Amino acid sequence: MKVQYFTACTMDGFIADENNSLDWLFEAPHSEGDTFWDEWFPGVGGLVMGATTYEWYVGRYGLGPEQWREFYGDRPGWIFSHREPALIPGVDLTLVEGDVRPVHAEAAEACGDKDLWLVGGGDLVGQFYDAGLLDELIIQFAPVTLGGGAPVLPRRITSKNLAFRDASLLGQRLRVRLDVVRTESN
Ligand SMILES: NC(=O)c1ccc[n+]([C@@H]2O[C@H](COP(=O)([O-])OP(=O)(O)OC[C@H]3O[C@@H](n4cnc5c(N)ncnc54)[C@H](OP(=O)(O)O)[C@@H]3O)[C@@H](O)[C@H]2O)c1
């Protein structure tokens, strides 16, 4: 199982504005011919989200079990929180907290040969990086700056640990894939 952080991002490195809004993202036209999602998503075996991301999705789309399944199928999800946010009934979601390593181990068992999608936010992804458990970044930049908001990956990771693999421009989204390079320090 690979651990992949797939997210959209502004040119100045934010994944949401200060009000947790993604309205800026929907302004940037996506190429209709982009088949990436259809090719990538079947390889995803499970999802991980922080509580803000989860509550934003549920709140924005008023997600019930049918819509969740429409979006994510029957993939298991792990929601990180120190609280007890209401979980969508009838969906395979688990509330977790603290160390990401046991969650990674559980996900590896559940995902089999599929990959784990870290939906966000940035610090939670950073926790996977800190534990040496982050493999890949897939970042879709929009031609937007916000000047503030939720950071994409609030860690100092330099080029010895991160390498570009490829990039493609699709409409007004620039998708960049990077590999995390393991060294003794991570
Ligand atoms: N651009 C995109 O494609 C994209 C993708 C994903 C997310 N987003 C947006 O980006 C924003 C991200 O928000 P965010 O930075 O606040 O991050 P977040 O990871 O979504 O939420 C942070 C919360 O996750 C919980 N958490 C994180 N690590 C934990 C741990 N180890 N143990 C227990 N709980 C933990 C805590 O919740 P509690 O406070 O409940 O303890 C923490 O306050 C959201 O608005 C989201 O909608 C955008």
Short mmCIF file of all heavy atoms in Angstrom, two decimals, residues 54-89:
data_model
loop_
_atom_site.label_atom_id
_atom_site.label_comp_id
_atom_site.label_asym_id
_atom_site.label_seq_id
_atom_site.Cartn_x
_atom_site.Cartn_y
_atom_site.Cartn_z
N TYR A 54 -13.33 16.49 7.19
CA TYR A 54 -14.52 15.64 7.24
C TYR A 54 -15.78 16.49 7.47
O TYR A 54 -16.77 16.37 6.74
CB TYR A 54 -14.36 14.60 8.35
CG TYR A 54 -15.61 13.81 8.60
CD1 TYR A 54 -16.03 12.84 7.70
CD2 TYR A 54 -16.38 14.05 9.74
CE1 TYR A 54 -17.20 12.12 7.92
CE2 TYR A 54 -17.54 13.33 9.97
CZ TYR A 54 -17.95 12.37 9.06
OH TYR A 54 -19.10 11.67 9.28
N GLU A 55 -15.71 17.38 8.46
CA GLU A 55 -16.90 18.16 8.80
C GLU A 55 -17.24 19.13 7.67
O GLU A 55 -18.40 19.43 7.42
CB GLU A 55 -16.70 18.87 10.14
CG GLU A 55 -16.75 17.84 11.28
CD GLU A 55 -16.52 18.45 12.66
OE1 GLU A 55 -15.68 19.35 12.79
OE2 GLU A 55 -17.20 17.98 13.61
N TRP A 56 -16.20 19.60 6.95
CA TRP A 56 -16.46 20.49 5.82
C TRP A 56 -17.19 19.73 4.72
O TRP A 56 -18.19 20.21 4.17
CB TRP A 56 -15.14 21.07 5.29
CG TRP A 56 -15.37 22.04 4.17
CD1 TRP A 56 -15.63 23.37 4.30
CD2 TRP A 56 -15.41 21.74 2.78
NE1 TRP A 56 -15.82 23.93 3.06
CE2 TRP A 56 -15.70 22.95 2.10
CE3 TRP A 56 -15.24 20.57 2.02
CZ2 TRP A 56 -15.80 23.02 0.71
CZ3 TRP A 56 -15.36 20.65 0.64
CH2 TRP A 56 -15.64 21.86 0.01
N TYR A 57 -16.71 18.54 4.39
CA TYR A 57 -17.37 17.74 3.35
C TYR A 57 -18.81 17.43 3.72
O TYR A 57 -19.73 17.59 2.94
CB TYR A 57 -16.63 16.43 3.09
CG TYR A 57 -15.47 16.55 2.14
CD1 TYR A 57 -14.17 16.32 2.58
CD2 TYR A 57 -15.66 16.90 0.81
CE1 TYR A 57 -13.09 16.44 1.71
CE2 TYR A 57 -14.58 17.02 -0.06
CZ TYR A 57 -13.30 16.79 0.39
OH TYR A 57 -12.25 16.92 -0.46
N VAL A 58 -18.98 16.98 4.95
CA VAL A 58 -20.33 16.60 5.39
C VAL A 58 -21.24 17.83 5.38
O VAL A 58 -22.37 17.77 4.91
CB VAL A 58 -20.26 15.94 6.79
CG1 VAL A 58 -21.64 15.75 7.37
CG2 VAL A 58 -19.53 14.61 6.70
N GLY A 59 -20.70 18.96 5.87
CA GLY A 59 -21.51 20.17 5.95
C GLY A 59 -21.83 20.71 4.57
O GLY A 59 -22.96 21.03 4.25
N ARG A 60 -20.82 20.77 3.71
CA ARG A 60 -21.04 21.39 2.39
C ARG A 60 -22.04 20.60 1.55
O ARG A 60 -22.90 21.16 0.90
CB ARG A 60 -19.72 21.51 1.63
CG ARG A 60 -19.95 22.12 0.25
CD ARG A 60 -18.70 22.26 -0.56
NE ARG A 60 -19.03 22.66 -1.91
CZ ARG A 60 -19.02 23.90 -2.37
NH1 ARG A 60 -18.69 24.89 -1.58
NH2 ARG A 60 -19.33 24.16 -3.62
N TYR A 61 -21.86 19.30 1.56
CA TYR A 61 -22.71 18.48 0.68
C TYR A 61 -23.88 17.86 1.44
O TYR A 61 -24.66 17.13 0.84
CB TYR A 61 -21.87 17.38 0.02
CG TYR A 61 -20.79 17.95 -0.89
CD1 TYR A 61 -19.45 17.92 -0.52
CD2 TYR A 61 -21.13 18.51 -2.11
CE1 TYR A 61 -18.47 18.44 -1.35
CE2 TYR A 61 -20.15 19.06 -2.94
CZ TYR A 61 -18.82 19.01 -2.56
OH TYR A 61 -17.86 19.54 -3.38
N GLY A 62 -23.99 18.14 2.73
CA GLY A 62 -25.05 17.51 3.53
C GLY A 62 -25.01 16.00 3.36
O GLY A 62 -26.03 15.36 3.15
N LEU A 63 -23.81 15.44 3.44
CA LEU A 63 -23.62 14.04 3.04
C LEU A 63 -24.36 13.05 3.93
O LEU A 63 -24.19 13.05 5.15
CB LEU A 63 -22.13 13.67 3.11
CG LEU A 63 -21.20 14.15 2.03
CD1 LEU A 63 -19.85 13.48 2.17
CD2 LEU A 63 -21.77 13.85 0.66
N GLY A 64 -25.14 12.22 3.32
CA GLY A 64 -25.71 11.05 3.97
C GLY A 64 -25.02 9.83 3.38
O GLY A 64 -24.12 9.97 2.54
N PRO A 65 -25.44 8.64 3.81
CA PRO A 65 -24.77 7.43 3.35
C PRO A 65 -24.78 7.26 1.83
O PRO A 65 -23.78 6.84 1.25
CB PRO A 65 -25.56 6.29 4.01
CG PRO A 65 -26.50 6.91 4.96
CD PRO A 65 -26.50 8.39 4.78
N GLU A 66 -25.89 7.64 1.17
CA GLU A 66 -25.95 7.40 -0.28
C GLU A 66 -24.92 8.26 -0.99
O GLU A 66 -24.20 7.79 -1.88
CB GLU A 66 -27.34 7.72 -0.86
CG GLU A 66 -28.44 6.80 -0.41
CD GLU A 66 -28.96 7.20 0.95
OE1 GLU A 66 -28.84 8.38 1.31
OE2 GLU A 66 -29.46 6.31 1.69
N GLN A 67 -24.86 9.55 -0.59
CA GLN A 67 -23.92 10.44 -1.28
C GLN A 67 -22.48 10.07 -1.00
O GLN A 67 -21.62 10.16 -1.85
CB GLN A 67 -24.16 11.87 -0.88
CG GLN A 67 -25.16 12.53 -1.79
CD GLN A 67 -25.69 13.76 -1.14
OE1 GLN A 67 -26.01 13.75 0.04
NE2 GLN A 67 -25.78 14.83 -1.90
N TRP A 68 -22.25 9.67 0.27
CA TRP A 68 -20.87 9.26 0.60
C TRP A 68 -20.48 8.10 -0.31
O TRP A 68 -19.39 8.08 -0.88
CB TRP A 68 -20.77 8.84 2.07
CG TRP A 68 -19.38 8.41 2.45
CD1 TRP A 68 -18.84 7.16 2.30
CD2 TRP A 68 -18.34 9.23 2.99
NE1 TRP A 68 -17.54 7.15 2.73
CE2 TRP A 68 -17.20 8.40 3.16
CE3 TRP A 68 -18.26 10.58 3.35
CZ2 TRP A 68 -15.99 8.89 3.67
CZ3 TRP A 68 -17.05 11.05 3.87
CH2 TRP A 68 -15.94 10.21 4.01
N ARG A 69 -21.39 7.13 -0.46
CA ARG A 69 -21.07 5.97 -1.32
C ARG A 69 -20.92 6.39 -2.77
O ARG A 69 -20.10 5.84 -3.49
CB ARG A 69 -22.15 4.90 -1.18
CG ARG A 69 -21.92 4.11 0.07
CD ARG A 69 -22.66 2.78 0.10
NE ARG A 69 -22.88 2.45 1.49
CZ ARG A 69 -23.99 2.74 2.17
NH1 ARG A 69 -25.02 3.28 1.55
NH2 ARG A 69 -24.07 2.45 3.44
N GLU A 70 -21.72 7.37 -3.19
CA GLU A 70 -21.59 7.86 -4.56
C GLU A 70 -20.19 8.46 -4.78
O GLU A 70 -19.57 8.26 -5.81
CB GLU A 70 -22.65 8.95 -4.76
CG GLU A 70 -23.16 9.09 -6.17
CD GLU A 70 -24.29 10.09 -6.18
OE1 GLU A 70 -25.37 9.76 -5.64
OE2 GLU A 70 -24.08 11.20 -6.67
N PHE A 71 -19.71 9.19 -3.78
CA PHE A 71 -18.38 9.80 -3.88
C PHE A 71 -17.27 8.76 -3.73
O PHE A 71 -16.31 8.76 -4.50
CB PHE A 71 -18.17 10.85 -2.78
CG PHE A 71 -18.82 12.17 -3.02
CD1 PHE A 71 -19.73 12.38 -4.04
CD2 PHE A 71 -18.53 13.25 -2.18
CE1 PHE A 71 -20.35 13.60 -4.23
CE2 PHE A 71 -19.14 14.48 -2.37
CZ PHE A 71 -20.05 14.66 -3.38
N TYR A 72 -17.39 7.93 -2.70
CA TYR A 72 -16.23 7.14 -2.26
C TYR A 72 -16.44 5.63 -2.35
O TYR A 72 -15.56 4.87 -1.96
CB TYR A 72 -15.85 7.49 -0.82
CG TYR A 72 -15.54 8.96 -0.65
CD1 TYR A 72 -16.27 9.75 0.25
CD2 TYR A 72 -14.53 9.57 -1.38
CE1 TYR A 72 -15.99 11.10 0.40
CE2 TYR A 72 -14.24 10.92 -1.24
CZ TYR A 72 -14.98 11.68 -0.36
OH TYR A 72 -14.71 13.00 -0.21
N GLY A 73 -17.61 5.19 -2.80
CA GLY A 73 -17.89 3.76 -2.84
C GLY A 73 -17.94 3.20 -1.42
O GLY A 73 -18.34 3.89 -0.49
N ASP A 74 -17.50 1.95 -1.27
CA ASP A 74 -17.56 1.35 0.07
C ASP A 74 -16.17 1.32 0.73
O ASP A 74 -15.91 0.53 1.61
CB ASP A 74 -18.19 -0.05 0.02
CG ASP A 74 -17.43 -0.95 -0.95
OD1 ASP A 74 -16.37 -0.51 -1.48
OD2 ASP A 74 -17.88 -2.09 -1.17
N ARG A 75 -15.31 2.22 0.29
CA ARG A 75 -13.96 2.28 0.89
C ARG A 75 -14.05 2.67 2.37
O ARG A 75 -14.82 3.57 2.71
CB ARG A 75 -13.12 3.34 0.16
CG ARG A 75 -12.80 2.98 -1.26
CD ARG A 75 -12.26 4.19 -1.99
NE ARG A 75 -11.88 3.87 -3.37
CZ ARG A 75 -12.74 3.77 -4.38
NH1 ARG A 75 -14.03 3.96 -4.18
NH2 ARG A 75 -12.31 3.48 -5.58
N PRO A 76 -13.22 2.06 3.19
CA PRO A 76 -13.20 2.48 4.59
C PRO A 76 -12.53 3.85 4.75
O PRO A 76 -11.65 4.22 3.96
CB PRO A 76 -12.36 1.40 5.27
CG PRO A 76 -11.53 0.81 4.19
CD PRO A 76 -12.31 0.95 2.91
N GLY A 77 -12.97 4.58 5.77
CA GLY A 77 -12.36 5.89 6.05
C GLY A 77 -12.01 5.99 7.52
O GLY A 77 -12.71 5.44 8.38
N TRP A 78 -10.91 6.68 7.81
CA TRP A 78 -10.47 6.92 9.19
C TRP A 78 -10.47 8.43 9.40
O TRP A 78 -9.82 9.18 8.65
CB TRP A 78 -9.07 6.34 9.43
CG TRP A 78 -9.06 4.85 9.41
CD1 TRP A 78 -9.19 4.02 10.50
CD2 TRP A 78 -8.94 3.98 8.27
NE1 TRP A 78 -9.15 2.70 10.11
CE2 TRP A 78 -9.01 2.66 8.74
CE3 TRP A 78 -8.81 4.19 6.89
CZ2 TRP A 78 -8.92 1.55 7.90
CZ3 TRP A 78 -8.73 3.10 6.04
CH2 TRP A 78 -8.78 1.79 6.54
N ILE A 79 -11.23 8.88 10.41
CA ILE A 79 -11.36 10.30 10.68
C ILE A 79 -10.61 10.61 11.97
O ILE A 79 -10.94 10.05 13.04
CB ILE A 79 -12.86 10.70 10.86
CG1 ILE A 79 -13.73 10.12 9.72
CG2 ILE A 79 -12.99 12.20 10.98
CD1 ILE A 79 -13.40 10.58 8.34
N PHE A 80 -9.62 11.48 11.87
CA PHE A 80 -8.85 11.85 13.06
C PHE A 80 -9.55 13.00 13.79
O PHE A 80 -9.84 14.03 13.19
CB PHE A 80 -7.44 12.31 12.68
CG PHE A 80 -6.47 11.17 12.54
CD1 PHE A 80 -6.36 10.48 11.33
CD2 PHE A 80 -5.66 10.79 13.60
CE1 PHE A 80 -5.47 9.44 11.20
CE2 PHE A 80 -4.76 9.74 13.48
CZ PHE A 80 -4.66 9.06 12.27
N SER A 81 -9.77 12.80 15.09
CA SER A 81 -10.33 13.88 15.92
C SER A 81 -10.08 13.54 17.39
O SER A 81 -10.03 12.37 17.77
CB SER A 81 -11.84 14.00 15.68
OG SER A 81 -12.36 15.02 16.50
N HIS A 82 -9.96 14.60 18.20
CA HIS A 82 -9.93 14.41 19.66
C HIS A 82 -11.34 14.53 20.23
O HIS A 82 -11.54 14.41 21.42
CB HIS A 82 -9.03 15.46 20.32
CG HIS A 82 -7.61 15.42 19.84
ND1 HIS A 82 -7.13 16.24 18.84
CD2 HIS A 82 -6.57 14.62 20.19
CE1 HIS A 82 -5.85 15.98 18.61
NE2 HIS A 82 -5.49 14.99 19.42
N ARG A 83 -12.29 14.83 19.35
CA ARG A 83 -13.69 14.97 19.80
C ARG A 83 -14.48 13.76 19.28
O ARG A 83 -13.90 12.76 18.90
CB ARG A 83 -14.28 16.26 19.24
CG ARG A 83 -13.55 17.51 19.68
CD ARG A 83 -14.03 18.72 18.91
NE ARG A 83 -13.66 18.63 17.49
CZ ARG A 83 -14.51 18.58 16.47
NH1 ARG A 83 -15.80 18.60 16.67
NH2 ARG A 83 -14.08 18.49 15.22
N GLU A 84 -15.79 13.92 19.25
CA GLU A 84 -16.60 12.83 18.70
C GLU A 84 -17.53 13.38 17.64
O GLU A 84 -18.75 13.41 17.84
CB GLU A 84 -17.40 12.16 19.83
CG GLU A 84 -16.50 11.57 20.87
CD GLU A 84 -17.05 10.28 21.47
OE1 GLU A 84 -18.25 10.00 21.30
OE2 GLU A 84 -16.25 9.57 22.09
N PRO A 85 -17.00 13.84 16.49
CA PRO A 85 -17.90 14.31 15.45
C PRO A 85 -18.84 13.20 14.99
O PRO A 85 -18.46 12.02 15.02
CB PRO A 85 -16.94 14.72 14.30
CG PRO A 85 -15.62 14.14 14.63
CD PRO A 85 -15.59 13.83 16.10
N ALA A 86 -20.06 13.61 14.64
CA ALA A 86 -21.06 12.60 14.24
C ALA A 86 -20.60 11.92 12.96
O ALA A 86 -20.25 12.58 11.99
CB ALA A 86 -22.39 13.30 14.02
N LEU A 87 -20.62 10.60 12.98
CA LEU A 87 -20.23 9.85 11.78
C LEU A 87 -21.47 9.50 10.98
O LEU A 87 -22.53 9.24 11.54
CB LEU A 87 -19.49 8.57 12.18
CG LEU A 87 -18.12 8.77 12.86
CD1 LEU A 87 -17.47 7.43 13.14
CD2 LEU A 87 -17.19 9.63 12.00
N ILE A 88 -21.33 9.51 9.67
CA ILE A 88 -22.44 9.14 8.80
C ILE A 88 -22.79 7.69 9.08
O ILE A 88 -21.92 6.81 9.00
CB ILE A 88 -22.04 9.31 7.32
CG1 ILE A 88 -21.63 10.75 7.04
CG2 ILE A 88 -23.16 8.88 6.39
CD1 ILE A 88 -20.97 10.94 5.69
N PRO A 89 -24.06 7.43 9.41
CA PRO A 89 -24.42 6.05 9.75
C PRO A 89 -24.35 5.13 8.53
O PRO A 89 -24.59 5.56 7.39
CB PRO A 89 -25.87 6.16 10.26
CG PRO A 89 -26.37 7.47 9.76
CD PRO A 89 -25.19 8.36 9.50
#
